[in-house]
Amino acid sequence: MKATDILLDGWSRIREVVHGAAEGLGAEELNARVDPGANSITWLLWHLTRIQDDHVADVAGQEQVWTADGWYDRFGLSVSRGATGYGQTAHQVGQVRVESAELLLGYYDAVHDRSVGYLRSLTAADLERVVDTAWDPPVTLGVRLVSVLSDDLQHAGQAAYVRGVLGRR
């Protein structure tokens, strides 16, 4: 099995969990928070998608789907174009709201498709390329992609958990 096949399998697992966490929910459930400081399903899925979009676009040398395909305008959030959710306060998290799962999943699927296309173009040698020298040791493309995979799966799992909690109310 090639290293890129492992990454592609991981990306397919993110997609499964993301869709399972959001499909069939309305705005009330998507935007609900189990307490005032908690993350909503909306915020978790938006954030993991923004991180994937930001990081993959960066290493691929592409514009983010968020801006290139008009998702920033479609969401109509009061955040900067470059916001990913990283470091947001509880108040800012609460401002990330949507009216439908279709919007969240549409953006996620567009980012997923772009990411998968990029992953399919890679060779094992590409994964050794250093993409960030700000760390010691420097971060390779392979490490960066595994980092995105890990972060996305964690947040997708959190969204699935929130869905389960809300279903018990």
Side-chain angles (χ1 to χ4, degrees):
M1 178 178 262
K2 298 185 304 186
T4 53
D5 290 340
I6 294 168
L7 291 170
L8 287 164
D9 180 73
W11 247 256
S12 73
R13 293 171 191 236
I14 299 166
R15 187 178 189 283
E16 289 171 15
V17 180
V18 164
H19 275 262
E23 285 177 352
L25 296 181
E28 184 175 338
E29 295 108 341
L30 290 167
N31 299 315
R33 298 166 79 184
V34 296
D35 71 48
N39 298 325
S40 66
I41 293 169
T42 293
W43 186 87
L44 288 161
L45 299 184
W46 172 81
H47 169 64
L48 75 83
T49 307
R50 289 293 300 122
I51 292 296
Q52 185 179 140
D53 193 7
D54 176 76
H55 287 32
V56 173
D58 181 54
V59 296
Q62 301 172 332
E63 183 180 352
Q64 294 179 27
V65 172
W66 182 242
T67 52
D69 295 351
W71 290 99
Y72 172 78
D73 295 324
R74 285 183 235 179
F75 271 74
L77 301 175
S78 60
V79 299
S80 71
R81 286 184 180 276
T84 62
Y86 182 78
Q88 285 188 323
T89 66
H91 176 74
Q92 291 167 322
V93 166
Q95 292 179 323
V96 177
R97 302 176 62 80
V98 296
E99 292 303 315
S100 72
E102 289 76 22
L103 181 65
L104 274 173
L105 295 175
Y107 175 47
Y108 173 80
D109 287 342
V111 170
H112 172 83
D113 291 347
R114 165 92 66 85
S115 297
V116 165
Y118 176 66
L119 292 172
R120 286 190 175 126
S121 76
L122 299 174
T123 65
D126 292 329
L127 298 176
E128 297 298 325
R129 177 172 58 96
V130 172
V131 296
D132 190 346
T133 59
W135 299 90
D136 186 18
V139 177
T140 64
L141 176 59
V143 168
R144 176 60 45 85
L145 293 171
V146 168
S147 176
V148 171
L149 173 65
S150 173
D151 187 67
D152 279 5
L153 279 173
Q154 288 180 61
H155 288 313
Q158 292 164 355
Y161 176 79
V162 172
R163 181 180 179 138
V165 169
L166 294 174
R168 289 185 170 89
R169 287 186 167 179

